[in-house]
Every structure is written in structure tokens, then in C-alpha cells.
């Protein structure tokens, strides 16, 4: 069957609690067009899918034509790549297990792949970002929680039940801070957003030193990072402690897994050297001795506003083209 | 080890009998700069490597700096990916088994990967071309010879001895045309350059019909293709027969291997529909019945002048970064 | 979750046109118990599954207990490993697409994997037979038809549509013998049972030489093999021709695929040296020159009566354990 | 090339500090013959290889003939699978980097594969033991140190530098017990032999309760296990604490990696339920909540005296047959 015209574009969709973003992306990761809408406006999954379908179709028509779209990839919290379902997402409006990929495929007549954010992000970093050319690496996201995705021998490691990568819920301090997951001492209670703020409060209470942090009513990691950049000693100490703990967590990860690199994404990673320098020092102190100086800590090289849609576009290529007539 | 600056470019090198071409290529397959020289000027492999080294260094300096180059990939006839050697290349000036990858690495201080043209080309088509998103496919080159490269389950199939893909030397007609390899009836004696010309001569001798082919002293596939485009019946008949035979050869390939697509490259594939239409018809007639209408025949979507350097650049990413200090 | 007692046995099931055979097999491929029944007694798939379920349960109880069985593997003509369905099996009593694996799983409460015979057989040869330790090899069955299964890089190559391996329907002689598939000149019209008998008839008609074959009313490959062993010249000539054609077909296969070995199973392969010697000679004459002397032609090392159930048992381990309570 | 007689046996070699053990093993993991000698008798690696060569040849001759041996696999501490070298083994007599696989191959004329114990052991458990049928699992050895080997997607995960699996040197308690590696608080300072004895001493010093442990001059894990079996409360408390800490370490491992099972080997694992019950309880308390009740903790199902030679025999099959004449 001669086929002169292969489809050379896909749609990447990033669904998160606040916003849903769609992009038409070509084979080389160029964003041809992008649009979005507010996720939480649609409490019924059926309504959401209708709106999403319309967005994808309009965006595609506006950028090269729907007939040129090969498939769709979705990055979504609690997405299960193996089943194409969202499974009990705690922060999304739709409860239970929802076969989103199949439902959207039936609307669009296009193949749809789906995965959680960390997985999609890691595919993006491998195809177009900091992990290009690596076979064994970890992408770590440090935001409101801490998640990760592992690649082993060049392919994603999902684990026996699809839950691999939950480094945020490794126990870094038995009996330590209370985590939302019900356990105590989880790594993310020190290294994700809420944990950083808590550490800042500890730092302030332990010292008399003046700090602009004391004047802020609602501290956020973003503010603390800004204060670091202004030279605020307690803000810097906050990230020094955060980095120290992060360094231990990653050292343990590395001692078990021996990745070539950890690639960082997420708002906390914006702290840059305030976080990475103490993290690196602590990492080298705690990692298996033969790995000292060998594991790279690198920031993502993909801009924030396209990281997830780009990752989702890579995901789109992993699914076979769909046709009613096969 | 914090690493702010990852190397984001590689050098792709295409060495063939006539010319050697080098390109600085980024992660997304953009050619940043390209240059070349005449291969056959250098009879000693040492001299060749010196000149190649100089070219790569100058080109890199001119396009973002040598310190930004991660590694080098080489596409070369008779290249063995597993050993990094050229092995008894019949048409290159350097005889025997030559560890070209290791020799160049020692000159450059950069990791060097090496593979034969078909392999490099197929990597390029998978990363940036017509095979993007496919897991089981074949790239076929139809030029002075006929070669191919197979991908199985998303990765290259090299075979037990690294010789997989030699479809040009499958026997399509026991006792048929004499092949340069010593056997008779090899597929490429009908489908590669010399074979097409021979078929043209047969076509002319069997008919009294006028044809511009009769006036050409030194027939080439390129001329025959031009004459097809002008409507020359015997030229068209030449490619009809070529396509018929090609269709049988590919049908047998497909019945065994069941690829999603054959992607065509090389000067003979420039015949376009004059070749592909009869090939497709013959293919459907001869393929295992369950595969009828399922296997795509598609031309490469990468321009000729960058196909091999682009493929070589993908190859470059497959090798680990090299450092003297590890 | 402490688990002292892992399940260490599986059930391998071989379903063919005449008989269905079940075996309890341990991790190391020891057949603990075996039983069977007549397939064609059950025209309804529901009845068949009921009887099969009962057989599996009784056999398991008799050999270590049902609670010790981990999972079930099924080898069946036209079985699709990816879907667990039998798909339009021409010779089985049950028509259309039948989700046999899912249906049996629901009866047994055990995970069930399913594949076609060639696939199951090849798994068996890799785990316990002649292909142990090989990464790129082909298992060829020569019986009433000719089929094959390919392993690439250590894993099965099923192809884009799951039809890989149909070497029996490669065209060895354009316009040649009529095949049941509708095409002409298919390899299996020369190398499978009916083809061998046809060749014997041709051999007899072309010669005046006496032969015991002339006295046999209903020639079969088995009889011809016996006559070869008795020194009957025309019987030997029959297999010489068969081997010659087989050699070309396999040489083409090898030139494309470069396997380490072809492993032979099936009644025709019982001809042993009468077939393999001329096949090997023809193979070496027709294969890509760099492969001469490199590709092994080997008979299966697993006894006929357990080959398929053993292969099916290996298949059983490829599926995850099933539990209602997950 | 017809090959009637494939080689159906390999030699597995287990080299450890005290003893070297060799076994002739068939395809199904049956030990045909076994012999051994004292490792430390040979301070020169040349002498050691001479003796090993002689042992392998004699053993092979005594059990089916040397000509029937396909290849050799070696399990050895600090063995690097990728290079075939022993690399700076702290406890073996031979210092530096030694290309043992190549040296032995040159003596024997047979292909030789080499890996560290954990890797070999894990291959054995996958082929013939508790991990049969699993794709994502971890084999943990608890002896004088604590090591592990990871399988991801059915294949071994060695990591970017080949050091994956060093869970014994993850930091379980910042500033905790001094480890021989130079760091403090490594998991193996609590869960390997020396750590268990240290815990016993702590338990005794913290309590006035009588215990037979108090009468033992040179406590060993073996003695403590015996006392557990006799109902000694402080011995039981010793393993309760060991299990608690082990449970946290494994929970963190599992939260990151999500294996189907941990398979335990080594002298400490002989403690059985005294160790596994508290380990399991602690594991469930500390693991990522979605994995509760899902990860199996299982003892190895292969006898101690053949585990490593059996694993080494599986390794032997991973290397290509060697021949001088290729």
C-alpha cells in the first residue's frame, strides 16, 4: 500500500488541577500551536471530554489540519499508562477509575496514550531535553509533592504495579514530619513546597537573626527563593537544610539505582544553586563511595510552559495509529 | 556533581566512496553547520583520519564550539556497529579491518559510534523521518546496490553476525542474472542501478517500439526516470518490470517479517510512482494474504543531502560520553 | 507480605485439530503429569472449555494440587498472543474470533496466556531445547504447512500485525504450484507434506527407474522417509529436490535475518539427512556470501510428544499471576 | 551448516574468599557434577587460573566430556559483567583490575562470562528459583555485607556505571553506626552479620533480662538464630530490631522501584520468621501506601550449596559460543 503522506504531527495534552493545555507538535518537538482552558470548570468527565475534544479539533484545524494529526498523548496526575485510565486522582474533580484514553479515542477517532506527569516529563527530557542520550536516568519533580520517573536500559521502569518512582514517600526520618499520605518522615515533607515552608519556620524560630521572611504573612517557596537571591541568610539556611535532606534521599536513590543523572523539574528546583549546592555536597557525602563524582545533578533544559505538552507529544508517538477500518 | 551545562550537539559524519560529509547537529535534528571533502584523496587511513579530525574540529569551532560537542557518529559502508571497525569495505581505499571509531576517538577525545549506512539511515528515519513512531519497520536503499535495515520491537535487528538486512542478495530467480557477489539471480541484479539498465536493454531488444532510450549511449537510472516522466513507453515498461520483481522480493520480506512499513531511499527510489505502483501491485499479489493492504510503502521524508549525516548524528547519541578522566 | 509458598508449577495446553493435550510442568521443564482428549468431539467452544477446565483441574489435583498451579499457557493454531484470541482458525471447529484465554481464565481463576504453535514451540526451544543460549534464531515447523517463529535480540518478533514468520507463503517460484492460500509458488507447496508427495509424483513420472514408491497407493512423507532409509533412489531424489528448494527459501530468510540457527520441527524434518544435506548444500550456495558456514541447521532437541505442551508451559510463565482480589 | 550435536552443558564457577566451586550444569539446571578447592591457596592470579582450568577440564571430562561444554560462567565478588574483569575486590588475594574472563577463555578455548555474586544469584533465581516468571524483582543477600540485584522489565538493571543495587550502603540513620565504607548509618551496619551482633550487644546492655547470648564469647548471627528458635527473648528482640530497620530500608527500595518481590539469600536470612515477620510489619508501615500488601518477601528456593554455581551456569548461557576459527 503506497502511502505518500504520513501523518507528521501529534497533539500533546497536559491536564492538571488548574489548567488543561493542548499543543500541536511535530516530529522534532516543535510546538506548532498551543491553547488551553480551565480544568476545574468541568465537574463531569463527560463535559470535560467534550470540551477537550473541541479544543483539540479546533487547534488541529488551525495548525495544519486535523487529517495531519497521527495521535494524542495525555499527561495527567494519577494516569496509568498500562490501562489508559486515571486512577483515583486525589486532586482532580473526577473520582474513581476513568478510562480517559479510550473515551477520548472514541470522540476523536484517533489513538490516545496516557501517562502520569512524571512519565510524560521523562519521555520529553529523553527525546528533547537534558536526558537525551542517557539510558539510565531519573527525572525528579519538586513541586507541591515530590515524584520521579526512572529509565532503565533506555526504557521506562514502571514497576510491577505501575507505582515506581515514589521517592517522595520514602522514609527519610522515622517518626519525622507528618505526611499527607498518613506516614511520618516522608522525604517530600522536607523537600516539597509545604516542607520547605515548614523548614523556613523552623529556621526562623531557632534563630534571632533578622530575615525578610519574618515579614511575609504567607510564605511560599517562590518568596524564599527570591529572598535567597537577595542574600537573606535564613532563606539561604532554609534551602541549605532542604538540600541536605534532598541529598540524602537522592544518594540512597543513586546507591540503589546508579543513574547517570537526576534531572530536576518543578517550582522548588527553581532555587537553583541555593538548593543544588548543599544537595550536591550532601549527596556526595552519603552516596555509595564508588559513585562519588559520577552522578550528574542537572536542571531540566525544557521551558516550563511546554515541558508537559512536549512530553505528552512524545507519549503520543508510542501508541499505534488507530483506524476504524482495521 | 552539579552539571549546569550539558553538551547539546553532536557531529554526524557520512563517509562514502566519493565524498565525506560532516555536520554539527542538535538534539532535535537541526543541522547547525555542514562541510565536506573528497574521500578518495586520502589513500592512507592515517591521513584520512587527520583530515577528518581537522574538519570536525573546525566545523565545531565555527558552530557553537568544540566544547559543546558530546560525541561523533559515523555512517560508512561495511561499518560494524558492534566493533566500531570498517570491515573489508570493497569500494573504500582502506583495506582489511580498520578500528576507525577507536582511532578517531583517540584523535578527538570524544566518544565515536560507527555503523553501516543502512543502520544509520534507519536510525535517522526513526528519529526524524518516515518511520517515527514505528516499532517494526524496514528501511530499504535502492542505489548501486540494494541494502536494508530492520527494526524489531523498536530496536535495530543486526542479526547473529551483524549481517542482517542483505535483501539485495536474496535469490529471486535461481540461475538468473549474474551478481557481483558470485551468485546468480540476486534481487539487486534486477532492482539496483545496473539491474535497471540491464532491464531497459532487455525491454528495448524485445520490442520494435521507438524509445528515446535507444539514443542514449550510456543509460543510467536517472535518465530512464526522466524518460518515464516524459511518457516514454519503454522506460515505463523498464520500471514496471523492476517494480514487479521488487514487489516479489518485498512481499517475501514482509511475509517473514511483517513490518509496518518499507521506507525507500536511494537513486532508484526517485522513480517514484513508476516504480512504486507496479511494486505495490506485485507486492499485494505475492504477500501472505493476511497482510494485504496492511504494509505501507513510503518514500523517505528526509532530504538526500542530509539523510546520512542526520542518521549518523542519531548514532552519536547511542554511545556514552567519553572522558579521559573516568 | 511474607510469601513462603510460591506456586512452582504451571499447566501447558496444546490444542490441535485432532487432540488436546495438557501437562503439569515445573519450573525446570519437568513434565509432572500429562493427559489429553479428542478436540473435535466438541463443536461448541463452551463445551470445549468446560471439558478443558475439568481436565486441567483433575490433572492438577492428581499432581501436586490445584493450589500449586501458577498459570496456564495455551499453544493453538491461529492463536494471537497479543489479544489472547483464536482468530479465524481454518481447521478448528470454532469459527471467528474467540477470546479463549479470557474465557478459560474466568473458568479457572488462573491467568491464561495463549499463542500460536510456532511461538510456543520457539519459547520451548529457547528455554529447554536447541535454541538455549541463542538471541537471534528461527524455529521452523515442516508439517502439513510450513511456519516459523523468529527471535530477535532474545525476544520474540511478532511483527506489526502479529503475522511474522509466514515463510511458508513466501514466493519461491512465480507462477509455480498452486497453494491453498490462493497464491502460486509458495514455498510450502514444495516443502510441506502435500508438496513432498507432489514432488515424489513428479520424480516418478520423469523416470523409468523402479521405486517402491510406485506401489504405494496413498503416498505420505512418512512412507517416503522410510523408503529413503531403505535406499530407494527416487525417494531420496524426492527429498533432494525438497531440500534444494528448502535451502533457497532458508538462504533468503537468513540473508535478510541472519539468525544463529534454524531449528527444525515437524514430520517432514524427520527425513533427517535426506532433507538436511541437500538443504544445507543449497543453503550455502544461495545465502549471502558472508554468512556461508555460519548459520546452523539443527533438529529440535525436544521430544515430539511434549514439545508443544512444554512450549505452552514456558508461555504460562509470561503472564502475571491472576487474582480476583487485586 | 548442519549441526547435529549442540553443546548442552555449561560450567558454573563460584569464587569466593574461602572456596571456589565448579559445577557442570545442563540446560534445565541439573547439577551433573561438582567439585571445589580453596581459593586462598593461590596468591598469584596466574596460579589460580591454572588450577581453575585444570579443575574445569577434569570435572568436564568426568561428566560427559569437555567437548560437550558450551561455555563458562563465573560468579565472583566485585566482578564487572560489562568488562569481564574483577575490579579492586577488597577480600580476594588479587589486587587491581584483572581481566579474569579473558584470561580463562584463553586457557580453556571456551567463552567465559563473569558477574558479581548478586547478579549471578539473581539470574539463577529468575531461571530456576523464586523469581521465575517475574519481570521486576530484587534479590537481596544478607551475609557479611548486604547487596542486591535488580531486574527491570525482565532484564538485569546494572546502572550507568554497573554499581546498581548497593542498598547496603543507603543511609538509614544519618550519623548512625560507622560502616567499613567510611560512611555512617549505612543499612548494612544494622542488617548484615556484624550489625546483628552489635544489635544483640545493645539489646543485652539495655536490659537485665537473662539470655543465653550473655554466655557466648563470640556471638554470631548463627548462634543468635539458634537461640531465637529456643525462645530466647533477647535474641528474638535482636532480630525484631534488625527486621524493623530492614523493613524501612526495603520499604524505601520498594517505594522507588516497585518490585513484585524481594527474594532473600544469605546467612542472616536463615533467621526466617524471626527476621521476616518484624521486617514485613515495618515494611508495610513504611512503604508507599498504594503498595501495601502487594510486595512479596520470599526466601530463595534454591539450596545454598548450589545457588551461586547455578546462577553462574545461567550466566554462561548469556555469552556467545567462542571459537578460534571464526
Amino acid at each position: 500500500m503506497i502511502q505518500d503522506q504520513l501523518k507528521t504531527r501529534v497533539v500533546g495534552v497536559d491536564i492538571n488541577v488548574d489548567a488543561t493545555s493542548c499543543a500541536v507538535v511535530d516530529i522534532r518537538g516543535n510546538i506548532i500551536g498551543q491553547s488551553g482552558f480551565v480544568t476545574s470548570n468541568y465537574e463531569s468527565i463527560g463535559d470535560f471530554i467534550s470540551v477537550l475534544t473541541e479544543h483539540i479539533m479546533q487547534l488541529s484545524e488551525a495548525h495544519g489540519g486535523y487529517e495531519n494529526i497521527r495521535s494524542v498523548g495525555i499527561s495527567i496526575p494519577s494516569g496509568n499508562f498500562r490501562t489508559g485510565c486515571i486512577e483515583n486522582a486525589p486532586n482532580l474533580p473526577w473520582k474513581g477509575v476513568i478510562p480517559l484514553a479510550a473515551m477520548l479515542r472514541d470522540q476523536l477517532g484517533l489513538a490516545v496514550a496516557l501517562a502520569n506527569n512524571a512519565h510524560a516529563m521523562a519521555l520529553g527530557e529523553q527525546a528533547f531535553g537534558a536526558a537525551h542520550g542517557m539510558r539510565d536516568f531519573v527525572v525528579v519533580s519538586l513541586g507541591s509533592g515530590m515524584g520521579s520517573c526512572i529509565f532503565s536500559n533506555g526504557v521506562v521502569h514502571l514497576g510491577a504495579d505501575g507505582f515506581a518512582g515514589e521517592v517522595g514517600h520514602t522514609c527519610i526520618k522515622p517518626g519525622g514530619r507528618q505526611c499527607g499520605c498518613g506516614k511520618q518522615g516522608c522525604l517530600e515533607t522536607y523537600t516539597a513546597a509545604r516542607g520547605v515552608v515548614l523548614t523556613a519556620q523552623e529556621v526562623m524560630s531557632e534563630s534571632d537573626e533578622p530575615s525578610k521572611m519574618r515579614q511575609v504573612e504567607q510564605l511560599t517557596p517562590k518568596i524564599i527563593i527570591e529572598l535567597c537571591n537577595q542574600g537573606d541568610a535564613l532563606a539561604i539556611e532554609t534551602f541549605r537544610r532542604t538540600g541536605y535532606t534532598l541529598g540524602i534521599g537522592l544518594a540512597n536513590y543513586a546507591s540503589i539505582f546508579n543513574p547517570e543523572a537526576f534531572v530536576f523539574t518543578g517550582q522548588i528546583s527553581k532555587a537553583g544553586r541555593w538548593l543544588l549546592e548543599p544537595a550536591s555536597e550532601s549527596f556526595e557525602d552519603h552516596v555509595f563511595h564508588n559513585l562519588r563524582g559520577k552522578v550528574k545533578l542537572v536542571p531540566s533544559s525544557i521551558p516550563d510552559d511546554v515541558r508537559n505538552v512536549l512530553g505528552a507529544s512524545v507519549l503520543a508517538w508510542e501508541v499505534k495509529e488507530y483506524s476504524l477500518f482495521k
Side-chain angles (χ1 to χ4, degrees), chain A:
Chain A
M1 180 187 50
I2 303 174
Q3 194 139 345
D4 288 323
Q5 213 58 33
L6 288 170
K7 296 178 170 189
T8 57
R9 292 173 178 184
V10 294
V11 171
V13 179
D14 176 41
I15 303 172
N16 65 47
V17 186
D18 305 316
T20 292
S21 179
C22 307
V24 171
V25 187
D26 74 7
I27 288 176
R28 300 192 179 196
N30 299 307
I31 307 275
I32 311 297
Q34 198 166 358
S35 78
F37 60 95
V38 177
T39 308
S40 50
N41 283 353
Y42 306 94
E43 285 194 19
S44 130
I45 184 69
D47 291 353
F48 176 78
I49 288 175
S50 297
V51 172
L52 178 56
T53 299
E54 213 174 311
H55 261 267
I56 290 173
M57 296 185 85
Q58 284 180 5
L59 187 69
S60 304
E61 283 303 341
H63 295 95
Y66 192 66
E67 70 285 1
N68 202 18
I69 302 296
R70 180 191 179 277
S71 48
V72 176
I74 301 175
S75 165
I76 189 164
S78 307
N80 183 327
F81 175 67
R82 288 176 179 149
T83 63
C85 296
I86 335 174
E87 300 188 346
N88 306 307
N91 300 317
L92 293 172
W94 321 297
K95 299 308 165 198
V97 174
I98 296 166
L100 179 57
M103 291 167 83
L104 188 61
R105 179 198 62 202
D106 289 348
Q107 290 294 312
L108 292 170
L110 294 177
V112 177
L114 173 155
N116 67 50
N117 327 34
H119 182 175
M121 217 183 278
L123 285 170
E125 295 291 343
Q126 189 192 39
F128 303 120
H132 197 65
M134 298 183 185
R135 293 181 64 78
D136 301 288
F137 64 91
V138 175
V139 173
V140 174
S141 71
L142 287 164
S144 56
M146 178 180 184
S148 77
C149 179
I150 301 169
F151 269 65
S152 166
N153 297 312
V155 294
V156 69
H157 171 80
L158 295 174
D161 307 278
F163 291 122
E166 289 288 352
V167 62
H169 297 287
T170 55
C171 178
I172 197 73
K173 198 169 184 181
R177 291 182 183 170
Q178 182 65 42
C179 183
C181 78
K183 296 189 296 160
Q184 289 181 307
C186 287
L187 181 57
E188 75 173 38
T189 64
Y190 299 87
T191 58
R194 208 180 291 226
V196 173
V197 173
L198 210 54
T199 300
Q201 288 160 351
E202 284 177 9
V203 165
M204 288 187 282
S205 73
E206 290 170 19
S207 147
D208 290 335
E209 230 181 300
S211 165
K212 283 190 185 160
M213 294 203 297
R214 299 190 193 274
Q215 284 113 53
V216 182
E217 204 163 331
Q218 189 90 35
L219 261 186
T220 64
K222 201 178 169 194
I223 295 170
I224 305 175
I225 293 170
E226 279 170 22
L227 293 176
C228 285
N229 292 334
Q230 295 172 21
D232 188 292
L234 296 196
I236 289 170
E237 171 63 12
T238 298
F239 272 105
R240 200 201 52 75
R241 294 190 189 180
T242 304
Y244 174 79
T245 306
L246 179 63
I248 298 177
L250 296 181
N252 287 353
Y253 206 142
S255 296
I256 288 174
F257 190 70
N258 186 11
E260 181 174 345
F262 289 98
V263 178
F264 295 99
T265 69
Q267 44 157 317
I268 304 299
S269 71
K270 300 286 171 198
R273 69 183 180 96
W274 305 114
L275 176 71
L276 287 186
E277 282 176 9
S280 177
E281 197 177 325
S282 167
F283 180 87
E284 301 294 350
D285 282 352
H286 292 96
V287 80
F288 177 58
H289 59 88
N290 279 333
L291 292 177
R292 273 184 210 135
K294 287 204 168 135
V295 182
K296 298 168 195 157
L297 308 183
V298 287
S300 163
S301 62
I302 300 178
D304 289 351
D305 56 334
V306 300
R307 183 178 302 110
N308 281 18
V309 286
L310 203 56
S313 83
V314 178
L315 189 64
W317 290 100
E318 302 236 324
V319 74
K320 273 203 171 186
E321 262 185 84
Y322 174 77
S323 160
L324 273 175
F325 311 106
K326 272 195 287 211

